[in-house]
Amino acid sequence: MSNQWGQCIASSVLEGFANYRSTFTYITLGAKKRFESACWLDVQQASMDRINLYDDAVAAVTDCLTQEVAQGYTQLSIWKDAKRFYAELVRSRTDGELAETFFNSIFCRIFRHYEIKPENLFVFSTQPKVKAADEASIIISYRPAFGLVKMVDRILMDFSFAIPYADRRQDVVNIIRTAQHQLGFVFADSKDMEIDIIRSVFFRNKAAYLVGRVRIREDTKPFIIALMNNEKGGIYVDALITDPDEVSIIFSFTRSYFMVDAPVPAAFIAFLQDLLPWKQRYELYNSIGFYKHGKTEFYRDFVQHLDKTDDQFVIAPGVRGMVMIAFTLPSSQTVFKVIKDNIAPQKEVNKETVKKKYYLVKMHDRVGRMADTQEFSHFVFPTDRFHPELLAELLADAPSVVRVVDDLVIIDHLYTERRMIPLNLYIKDATEQQLDAVLDDFGNAIKQLAAANIFPGDMLLKNFGVTRHGRIVFYDYDEICYLTECNFRRIPPPRFPEDEMAAEPWYSVGVNDVFPEEFAIFIFADTRIRKCFTELHGDLFDASYWQRIQQVIREKEVVDVFPYRRKRRLARRMGEPRIQAREE
């Protein structure tokens, strides 16, 4: 009977996974039509719909299993059999690693992460390594046998759309000139040069990307062509990106997931790692929409990292949060965040509100300015890896979700995100040049968040981080809200001289009222830094600036926020939005 139940569980889980993948692929494949028809609001909706798919599929399978194998539903011995049968069933799939993660999700939904052992579920993957043939199957290769013009023209023709290129000849010239400028002698009529491009187009927001690499002998460079719809019936090449750091920003953890058809996900990841060798596998799986498998890859990396290191988890650098306890392992690049049981009274939020804010960020377009987070339940740590001060704080401030069992610390709910340097700490040691650059980018970050209908709420410098690229990213979400929910007002002039001396304001203040004039003093205690920022982004202190952005959003205009700098945009300017957020 155990074998029979095990087979039943394996079959049910695989059927649920196949249904999930089918719907996931259907939504993903629709990205091309949405791009061609410039249905930008539909693009945003599809992104949200696809994120919700996974949890819905796991819930559906779990409900099904309770009915099909009610008696053996929670017997570990049956699940061990189920894992063995399941491994055989998914062995021939091209997305076997995703199928294993789906099995793990079902198991953890039932056993609440208490039995995470290799014999019960796929703690480590049983899938074979990617073969050269797998990678070859996902790319198209080009050589300039008949010259650069014909080769680049062939690339654009191979990746055609239902609407034509507005001026393909100009696009070809732009690509060649830009490539020769950026790559020099590498990009030439040489029999040694080859361009490999992934067959599937990467769609996100209002752009489509052809993702590939240029190879000449032992030298490899990224080769990313950004395509835009001019909203007048034509496609055009907006940028060519060949700098690895700039490609890294396009695939950043601060951006929405790509819509890209990836029938062999592991091969896609292998190719992308060739372009971005410093990025972790879990980050790349996240970037192409498989964020649940990204969690699996993260956990595997985490376990291996613990085995190779001996440092202790400590309280994360920076100002202590009133809502979250943030801690990190100094040898890693991850911050773990736990919601406190008793949130400071100044913060008018509770645990459920904070969770909703983090969910909002997961679902929303992050425009390169909000850190992606992964949510975990029942995360297990070795007790001896915790600094006593940190463990004492966790047990004192979050006892409902943190407990010590034998030699383990179990945290029932936490978030992980990439570690960055808090902006307030970065500024303390910044040179004049660094200060100017980071303040300018801080203003750009606020404006780009506004363009995406996001108001940070608490804009103190401690709530923003600086990445290794020197970019500003928002990471504290407990006061985040939609920009259109705010009522931006100017402070009324005082009625009498005594008004300015009064302890209370002489004007009424509603729940959603925001007074941008107060930002300067509220954010910048240092008058020198305040003056510098005002010269760069003084418009942020004017209520009318925010009101204009609100008007654009209410008119359903989706504002462009490009993942590359203005100087990377090619000479042609077509279909610019009425109000455009500044590029990074």
Side-chain angles (χ1 to χ4, degrees), residues 36 150 177 330 494:
E36 293 167 341
K150 287 188 178 296
R177 286 178 178 171

Side-chain angles (χ1 to χ4, degrees), residues 72-84:
Y73 178 60
T74 57
Q75 292 182 27
L76 273 176
S77 60
I78 293 175
W79 279 89
K80 291 176 182 177
D81 289 336
K83 182 202 169 187
R84 178 166 50 84

